[in-house]
Amino acid sequence: ITDNSVAASVLNTLNSKTTVAVNATTVTTITGTAADLITAYTANAAGTITGLANDVVILTDATISAANLLAIDAYPYTTGVVNATAVTTITGTASDLITAYTANAAGTITFSTDEAITVNNSISVAQFNYLAANNDGVITATISEGEMAVLNGITESGNALAITVTDTTVAATELNTLDSKTTTDLTVTSSTITGLATDVLTAYTATGSINGLGNEAVSLSDTSIDAEVLINLDALTSGIINASSINTI
């Protein structure tokens, strides 16, 4: 073929119609979906397509797996830059996604950096923070840690993070702050909630965004409280409310 720019699907179709190698030496830019590009480069490695080398790669997928993206980036036939700016959603394991965004930082893969990310396995807070720092799109993931000391380190908000708080005792104000960092429900398995009555009430009345509360012990830190607030709080948990800090009611 004599084209400088060619679609991978066209190369693959042409390759299927002949028993001799398709000479693609003149090609400098190859476009298409990840699946078509992988097929073409696999054929190039097998010798049924020849001449693919130092090509600019332009992906047309809207959704792509990080594994496929890394496979294309690893082929020795490209110029070292895979243009993935058409991608609007990228999926994969935390490890593959971090490798892909590390390649983006190095300039061998280019993203628009506002694509949505879906993580297929559990992800640590540190891994999430890396992806969030390198992408402005919404990240959908399950956070692997449950300790508030670690969860407090989540740096970004507005993402769909499935989080389960596993501390035995947790401060209501920390729960409320963490709840504001995810657009999905927060699950709490703690047996004791501590803090000011206003913060505790906010946590207990966050219906649909904080789940699992209702039978915990509550340890208040207020020194003064309105009786109605105390009664309302008592109705929200079957656990014992420790109000020993209160000296004015």
Side-chain angles (χ1 to χ4, degrees), residues 15-78:
N15 186 39
S16 70
K17 293 181 176 180
T18 177
T19 58
V20 297
V22 175
N23 187 333
T25 305
T26 61
V27 173
T28 56
T29 300
I30 184 168
T31 65
T33 65
D36 285 338
L37 285 160
I38 288 171
T39 299
Y41 279 125
T42 299
N44 193 71
T48 58
I49 295 176
T50 63
L52 292 179
N54 299 319
D55 305 315
V56 173
V57 173
I58 302 175
L59 286 163
T60 58
D61 302 79
T63 299
I64 193 171
S65 72
N68 280 348
L69 188 57
L70 293 174
I72 293 167
D73 189 44
Y75 281 117
Y77 316 121
T78 73

Side-chain angles (χ1 to χ4, degrees), residues 12-245:
N12 295 333
T13 299
L14 187 60
N15 186 39
S16 70
K17 293 181 176 180
T18 177
T19 58
V20 297
V22 175
N23 187 333
T25 305
T26 61
V27 173
T28 56
T29 300
I30 184 168
T31 65
T33 65
D36 285 338
L37 285 160
I38 288 171
T39 299
Y41 279 125
T42 299
N44 193 71
T48 58
I49 295 176
T50 63
L52 292 179
N54 299 319
D55 305 315
V56 173
V57 173
I58 302 175
L59 286 163
T60 58
D61 302 79
T63 299
I64 193 171
S65 72
N68 280 348
L69 188 57
L70 293 174
I72 293 167
D73 189 44
Y75 281 117
Y77 316 121
T78 73
T79 59
V81 179
V82 177
N83 185 330
T85 55
V87 171
T88 57
T89 301
I90 181 168
T91 66
T93 64
S95 177
D96 282 347
L97 287 162
I98 287 171
T99 300
Y101 278 93
T102 300
N104 180 66
T108 60
I109 297 174
T110 58
F111 291 118
S112 64
T113 67
D114 62 357
E115 54 280 336
I117 297 175
T118 299
V119 186
N120 295 335
N121 62 335
S122 294
I123 188 171
S124 71
V125 169
Q127 289 173 320
F128 165 76
N129 285 342
Y130 179 86
L131 292 175
N134 287 278
N135 174 274
D136 295 324
V138 173
I139 299 173
T140 301
T142 297
I143 300 296
S144 58
E145 294 104 343
E147 303 84 5
M148 190 61 75
V150 179
L151 296 171
N152 283 337
I154 293 175
T155 56
E156 301 283 344
S157 61
N159 295 286
L161 304 179
I163 302 171
T164 299
V165 179
T166 58
D167 296 273
T168 301
T169 300
V170 64
T173 184
E174 290 182 316
L175 280 182
N176 296 331
T177 298
L178 183 62
D179 185 41
S180 71
K181 292 181 178 180
T182 176
T183 59
T184 60
D185 296 351
L186 188 66
T187 300
V188 181
T189 63
S190 306
S191 56
T192 301
I193 310 297
T194 66
L196 296 171
T198 53
D199 290 330
V200 176
L201 281 170
T202 297
Y204 274 96
T205 56
T207 307
S209 62
I210 299 180
N211 296 326
L213 298 180
N215 61 356
E216 301 73 30
V218 173
S219 181
L220 295 173
S221 57
D222 303 74
T223 57
S224 177
I225 195 169
D226 187 286
E228 184 178 3
V229 172
L230 195 55
I231 291 168
N232 289 339
L233 185 57
D234 187 46
L236 292 169
T237 178
S238 60
I240 302 297
I241 298 177
N242 182 342
S244 59
S245 65

